Amino acid sequence: MKVTLKKKLSFGFLAAVLGSLIIAGFISNVMINKLFSTYLKNENNSKIDKAVTMVSELYDENNKLSDSAKQQLQRYSQMENMCIEILDSDGGQIYTSGIPNHNGMKNMGAMMGHGMHSLMTKNNGDYTEEKHDLIKGSKKAGTIVCGYFSSSLMTNGAVTFIMTLNKSFVISAIIALIFGLLLSIMISNQLSKPLVEITHTANEMRNGNLQLRSDVNSSTKEIQDLSLSINYLAETLNHQEIYRKRMTSDMAHEIRTPLTVLKTHVEALIDGIWEPTTEIFESFYEEIERLNKLVDNLRDLSKLEESKLNLIKCKFNLSDEINKIILNFKPLFDKSNFNLMCEIDDNINVIMDKDKLNQIMQNIIFNAYKYLNTNGTVLVSLKSKHENAIIKVSDTGAGISEEDLPHIFERFYRSDSSRDTHTGGSGLGLTITKTLVEAHSGSISVNSKLGHGSEFTIVMPVVVANKNN
Ligand code: ADP
């Protein structure tokens, strides 16, 4: 059975209060009883001491005990609920007060004599006798026997005290319980209310409402963190949803263009408008190639996003590798009358996946080539700075507008001008390049001015000479 947090917390608090009350009540009861019985015993001892002193003073060796002395002792015995008995040195009874005020047994002791008490103990608790020497002129003249029932220790005052104490225990327990109940309801409300609100937000999100945010403001750190996390989750999901929609429409758009071109060309051939010439088949091939490249790029991207990127890293000379890449691009640039120049520092070593480096450099250099104007120049430079290799690819091409610049690394992002001119791009090249660079713990940035050209900078950690690999 599932119990709500509010109920669980309330019952928990109540159980804690009740438990504490029982433990505190038990311990204080035991302690007070112990102290109280010690106090009562001390009181009784002082009564007995007083009785002994009184008898010693009143007892006259010749006259034994005067009548007034007997009356005085009788009064004292009555007052203190105590039996006072005086025995001579042979054990003969000189005087006994009897046991006063116990269930009508007054003076029964006088009738029954010493050792009469067994019958009476039943109702009045244990009967105890204490014997003290009766000293007269530093000689033992007899024995004073003081007897009392254990119940007589409990004076009216003592009973009232114990009852008041118990009463105050019960009252304070009830007050503590009510207070605990109110406090537990208050605290459990305070804790459960924001959680209920956050759950409501999460349920709304589950039903597709990704615009809703939790506005819970709690002084409990964990609840505040949970609220922030839920909002962050909503933000991320919303972002992903927008991205998914944009990606689908971008993909549809990118695929539709070559397909439309192919369709219209094939229709023209079927209708006999066009003759099937080599040029026409070449243009078919170009569009199919474009589709192929798009599919390849999409596959690369999905691999990168799923972190399935398997980097086969090795240590190699970056300077030599970049020189080779530039050499491979030379014929393409020459063919279009573009200049491809380089400034490469020697012997810069890195630990990278060589194929991925090729992919990175080809993307950047080919982009520079695509947006070059007549007689344009591309300069590739490599320098080492602060344990980093700095690769720069600058061109004198079309440049990128200020509005486009922050977005060019986003998926499918292409500037309007590049959409207009037939560059054959899909807007995925720089996204893949950036992911590859970052997978090697490097970074990529761009500087560009529309109409003047662009400069892409890649920073890669180098292998320091004494760090052998
Ligand atoms: P594409 O395949 O369209 O070139 P990229 O991701 O490589 O896609 O580039 C994204 C956009 O960045 C391009 O459409 C283009 O507008 C801009 N861009 C990239 N490199 C350059 C450059 N060297 N000169 C001018 N614009 C560039």
Side-chain angles (χ1 to χ4, degrees):
M1 192 186 71
K2 301 276 182 246
V3 185
T4 61
L5 182 69
K6 192 172 160 182
K7 267 189 196 158
K8 219 171 190 175
L9 284 172
S10 302
F11 282 127
F13 277 124
L14 264 189
V17 171
L18 211 64
S20 321
L21 277 176
I22 291 170
I23 294 170
F26 178 75
I27 293 174
S28 43
N29 225 6
V30 168
M31 298 292 287
I32 287 172
N33 273 344
K34 213 171 155 189
L35 280 175
F36 198 65
S37 61
T38 313
Y39 162 79
L40 289 177
K41 255 192 197 126
N42 288 343
E43 279 287 287
N44 198 49
N45 286 343
S46 63
K47 275 187 220 166
I48 292 171
D49 286 350
K50 207 168 162 190
V52 170
T53 317
M54 200 185 273
V55 172
S56 306
E57 280 171 8
L58 293 172
Y59 186 76
D60 169 356
E61 251 179 286
N62 304 319
N63 295 327
K64 305 292 178 192
L65 213 58
S66 68
D67 284 346
S68 71
K70 281 179 184 169
Q71 278 169 11
Q72 206 174 328
L73 283 178
Q74 193 65 35
R75 271 200 304 275
Y76 187 73
S77 122
Q78 291 274 343
M79 196 170 73
E80 302 295 1
N81 266 337
M82 183 191 292
C83 167
I84 302 171
E85 192 175 16
I86 306 170
L87 306 174
D88 63 18
S89 39
D90 301 327
Q93 191 184 68
I94 300 168
Y95 166 80
T96 180
S97 66
I99 298 173
N101 284 341
H102 275 282
N103 300 331
M105 290 186 183
K106 188 173 174 185
N107 291 329
M108 192 179 249
M111 292 183 287
M112 296 172 75
H114 180 56
M116 60 184 170
H117 312 295
S118 62
L119 276 174
M120 300 166 76
T121 54
K122 264 187 194 166
N123 297 322
N124 301 303
D126 293 335
Y127 183 78
T128 314
E129 278 186 347
E130 278 187 27
K131 290 181 178 166
H132 291 261
D133 289 344
L134 172 59
I135 307 290
K136 252 332 186 180
S138 65
K139 259 177 69 195
K140 184 181 168 185
T143 306
I144 306 167
V145 182
C146 293
Y148 54 90
F149 283 104
S150 55
S151 63
S152 70
L153 291 180
M154 270 287 177
T155 59
N156 281 348
V159 172
T160 317
F161 175 74
I162 290 282
M163 271 171 66
T164 315
L165 201 70
N166 284 341
K167 218 168 157 183
S168 60
F169 261 132
V170 173
I171 291 171
S172 46
I174 292 170
I175 292 173
L177 265 183
I178 294 171
F179 182 69
L181 183 73
L182 291 178
L183 201 73
S184 68
I185 291 173
M186 218 172 78
I187 293 179
S188 57
N189 252 345
Q190 236 180 43
L191 287 177
S192 67
K193 207 172 149 209
L195 286 177
V196 169
E197 274 178 50
I198 293 172
T199 311
H200 170 73
T201 311
N203 283 339
E204 282 289 307
M205 280 165 58
R206 196 180 60 181
N207 294 332
N209 183 358
L210 296 176
Q211 310 304 323
L212 197 70
R213 297 289 178 272
S214 153
D215 56 1
V216 163
N217 203 354
S218 168
S219 54
T220 313
K221 188 181 175 299
E222 285 81 357
I223 293 179
Q224 193 60 40
D225 285 353
L226 182 65
S227 169
L228 290 177
S229 297
I230 279 284
N231 283 348
Y232 182 75
L233 185 67
E235 200 67 52
T236 314
L237 284 176
N238 196 29
H239 204 263
Q240 276 182 359
E241 183 67 7
I242 292 169
Y243 164 65
R244 193 181 59 78
K245 283 183 183 154
R246 215 186 75 197
M247 178 117 168
T248 318
S249 83
D250 283 348
M251 258 163 57
H253 177 263
E254 290 303 321
I255 292 168
R256 195 181 328 114
T257 316
L259 280 181
T260 315
V261 173
L262 279 174
K263 193 179 162 214
T264 44
H265 285 194
V266 171
E267 275 171 2
L269 281 176
I270 292 171
D271 296 344
I273 301 168
W274 280 0
E275 287 292 311
T277 59
T278 316
E279 287 83 51
I280 288 202
F281 284 115
E282 268 173 8
S283 89
F284 282 7
Y285 185 78
E286 247 174 47
E287 292 307 327
I288 292 168
E289 260 302 280
R290 216 180 131 189
L291 275 173
N292 243 346
K293 201 163 163 236
L294 179 68
V295 172
D296 282 351
N297 277 342
L298 282 172
R299 197 197 51 210
D300 279 0
L301 201 64
S302 80
K303 267 193 200 163
L304 292 176
E305 280 177 345
E306 283 173 28
S307 310
K308 276 187 186 162
L309 191 63
N310 252 340
L311 294 178
I312 305 164
K313 287 188 184 179
C314 63
K315 181 185 163 188
F316 61 87
N317 189 319
L318 181 66
S319 314
D320 292 351
E321 203 55 35
I322 290 188
N323 273 325
K324 261 193 244 168
I325 296 169
I326 293 169
L327 214 62
N328 287 338
F329 266 105
K330 231 14 193 164
L332 180 71
F333 275 71
D334 288 347
K335 202 172 133 192
S336 312
N337 277 329
F338 293 151
N339 300 309
L340 179 58
M341 296 177 3
C342 60
E343 286 171 7
I344 309 291
D345 282 1
D346 287 335
N347 292 326
I348 296 178
N349 291 309
V350 286
I351 297 175
M352 281 183 78
D353 185 319
K354 235 189 222 180
D355 286 345
K356 304 296 181 230
L357 171 78
N358 268 286
Q359 202 177 342
I360 293 167
M361 291 310 294
Q362 276 171 15
N363 278 350
I364 300 285
I365 299 174
F366 194 63
N367 268 355
Y369 166 83
K370 277 194 296 192
Y371 300 100
L372 272 186
N373 302 318
T374 327
N375 291 326
T377 301
V378 172
L379 170 67
V380 181
S381 70
L382 171 66
K383 302 218 172 320
S384 161
K385 195 177 173 189
H386 306 314
E387 301 195 357
N388 281 320
I390 317 281
I391 307 167
K392 282 185 192 286
V393 178
S394 47
D395 64 66
T396 56
I400 305 162
S401 71
E402 260 179 53
E403 304 89 71
D404 290 330
L405 209 54
H407 305 291
I408 58 165
F409 292 104
E410 289 174 13
R411 293 162 191 87
F412 289 113
Y413 192 86
R414 292 165 75 193
S415 67
D416 288 344
S417 54
S418 92
R419 282 183 199 275
D420 295 343
T421 50
H422 193 74
T423 55
S426 59
L428 289 175
L430 283 182
T431 314
I432 294 172
T433 306
K434 186 169 191 266
T435 318
L436 287 176
V437 169
E438 285 172 355
H440 286 90
S441 316
S443 65
I444 182 165
S445 57
V446 60
N447 254 319
S448 185
K449 204 167 175 212
L450 197 63
H452 286 85
S454 314
E455 182 180 75
F456 284 82
T457 307
I458 296 171
V459 180
M460 259 318 153
V462 295
V463 181
V464 186
N466 56 5
K467 272 192 203 163
N468 253 336
N469 200 293

